[in-house]
Amino acid sequence: MSDDDNSPISAREARRLFAGLKRAPALVLAVSGGPDSVALMWLAARWQRSLARGPRLTVVTIDHGLRREAAREAREVKRLATELGLPHRTLRWRGAKPKTGLPAAAREARYRLLAQAARAVGASHVLTAHTRDDQAETLLMRLLRGSGLAGLSAMASLSERDGIVLARPLLEVPKAQLIATLRRARIGFADDPTNRDTAFTRPRLRALLPLLAAEGGDARTLVRLAARLARANAAVEVLADGAERFLRLRDRGDAPQAGVRSFEAATFAGLPEEVRLRLLLRAINALGHEGPAELGKIESLLAVLDQAIAASPRAGANGRPAMRQTLAGALISLAGGRIHIAPAPARRRKGG
């Protein structure tokens, strides 16, 4: 990638950005009409034409029903997609919109609709136009929320959602390069005013980025930090995998109980704290029925477990639980010198 963040993306650079996708049968391009996604569409179309046999491309625009201009912008995307020889679909997020947490709800709806569109056209991947700037903003948002190592790794170039691979081929690219690319090609794009609406967190952080850059914390530096944290996170995941296998080997003589995960408490207590947190998180998310557990609650649970184990190496050896707690729809207990994690009984409805 050129060091000049304001230079248009060349055909050669585009081939490198999309190289890992050329064997996919079909791809869905998520295009809103803003500069980033319009550049993604234009670059992907040019890349596909350069291949002897490339993936089928389908452009999908999600109309969230939140702005009057959205329908017009979707029509403009369709016009440009048609000029590029690409089929286009507009999908609408219907139904009532929440009064709080609207950006998160809109994001969930967007990815759900994109996954549906991908399955409908036989696409293995959905491509989004997240840029280096978006990655820097995501890191800052998660840092302020107190995310752990996994969250601070920010967005991955490839991830899975609803059975579809989400690909972010422009994650290394600054937004300024995409705008320069469109200007060189004389292609217009929409300006979404919500991107500057300081009622939302991301635009407020976006406004802070120039100040951080003046102190040396520019987008390039923040993205480098996210990559380093992702590298560290991957290493810890390998350690957690090994610890899980080690705990299973310790239980070789004991028949596993269906629907329950169980760890020898004393051995578990000897593992590094971050590994223990991940083992608990994995088990609770696998067996609980109330959605993903929050990291802060897992940390509190581990503190209670550690205290109970430290009180007696054979805590709960008499068969009565020395500790019993529910979290995210899972029941965690300490009995017989072992930690047990199982689905929690369903909550009783009030008035039932």
Side-chain angles (χ1 to χ4, degrees):
M1 187 66 65
S2 170
D3 289 333
D4 182 4
D5 289 354
N6 295 300
S7 63
I9 296 173
S10 68
R12 181 178 180 182
E13 288 171 329
R15 283 196 298 273
R16 181 185 68 81
L17 292 171
F18 294 105
L21 298 164
K22 64 183 179 181
R23 298 191 187 281
L27 304 170
V28 160
L29 309 178
V31 182
S32 66
D36 304 349
S37 61
V38 169
L40 171 72
M41 175 171 61
W42 189 81
L43 289 167
R46 184 173 65 171
W47 162 72
Q48 184 205 42
R49 288 196 299 270
S50 74
L51 300 174
R53 189 174 180 179
R56 301 187 312 276
L57 302 183
T58 299
V59 179
V60 175
T61 301
I62 307 299
D63 182 350
H64 296 91
L66 299 174
R67 294 186 302 112
R68 189 175 301 172
E69 303 87 354
R72 176 180 55 77
E73 291 165 3
R75 289 193 297 271
E76 185 60 24
V77 172
K78 181 175 183 178
R79 182 193 64 77
L80 181 55
T82 301
E83 288 180 5
L84 294 170
L86 303 178
H88 175 272
R89 293 183 63 193
T90 297
L91 302 179
R92 291 172 177 82
W93 180 27
R94 303 188 184 278
K97 310 298 188 288
K99 293 183 179 179
T100 60
L102 183 59
R107 183 171 59 252
E108 286 298 316
R110 179 164 63 252
Y111 283 123
R112 174 173 50 80
L113 291 168
L114 288 169
Q116 290 174 5
R119 284 191 287 270
V121 299
S124 55
H125 297 64
V126 168
L127 274 59
T128 66
H130 291 103
T131 65
R132 190 172 75 188
D133 304 65
D134 296 317
Q135 184 76 307
E137 293 163 11
T138 299
L139 174 66
L140 288 176
M141 288 179 70
R142 294 182 180 180
L143 180 66
L144 294 176
R145 287 204 300 256
S147 295
L149 188 58
L152 293 176
S153 302
M155 294 181 284
S157 57
L158 295 173
S159 59
E160 187 273 337
R161 194 182 184 108
D162 296 333
I164 300 295
V165 177
L166 289 181
R168 302 175 177 94
L170 307 181
L171 208 50
E172 301 175 8
V173 181
K175 185 185 187 80
Q177 262 201 300
L178 298 180
I179 292 175
T181 301
L182 293 178
R183 285 177 176 161
R184 169 73 65 84
R186 297 182 179 179
I187 295 174
F189 51 84
D191 177 27
D192 183 351
T194 59
N195 288 328
R196 298 185 301 276
D197 187 347
T198 54
F200 301 115
T201 302
R202 190 177 283 272
R204 290 198 299 271
L205 290 177
R206 187 172 297 141
L208 288 176
L209 280 172
L211 297 176
L212 293 174
E215 299 295 333
D218 61 5
R220 190 188 300 271
T221 301
L222 292 172
V223 168
R224 188 182 303 122
L225 172 60
R228 289 169 176 167
L229 292 170
R231 195 169 61 216
N233 181 62
V236 177
E237 279 290 284
V238 171
L239 291 176
D241 290 342
E244 212 163 27
R245 288 193 295 270
F246 175 67
L247 288 168
R248 282 200 299 267
L249 285 172
R250 295 279 299 180
D251 296 338
R252 184 173 287 174
D254 299 326
Q257 190 176 346
V260 176
R261 293 196 184 180
S262 177
F263 307 130
E264 186 182 65
T267 306
F268 178 85
L271 295 171
E273 183 176 358
E274 180 66 21
V275 171
R276 285 181 285 145
L277 285 168
R278 292 184 186 226
L279 294 180
L280 288 175
L281 187 64
R282 290 179 181 186
I284 290 169
N285 284 346
L287 298 171
H289 49 77
E290 294 180 2
E294 296 176 20
L295 177 58
K297 293 182 178 179
I298 294 285
E299 290 169 335
S300 298
L301 169 66
L302 181 60
V304 172
L305 264 175
D306 284 348
Q307 189 175 19
I309 295 169
S312 170
R314 293 288 295 166
N318 59 6
R320 293 206 315 243
M323 170 257 170
R324 184 181 173 93
Q325 185 173 320
T326 59
L327 176 58
L331 175 64
I332 303 95
S333 60
L334 176 64
R338 297 187 67 81
I339 300 163
H340 304 279
I341 302 165
R347 296 176 187 269
R348 292 183 179 178
R349 294 183 179 179
K350 292 183 179 179

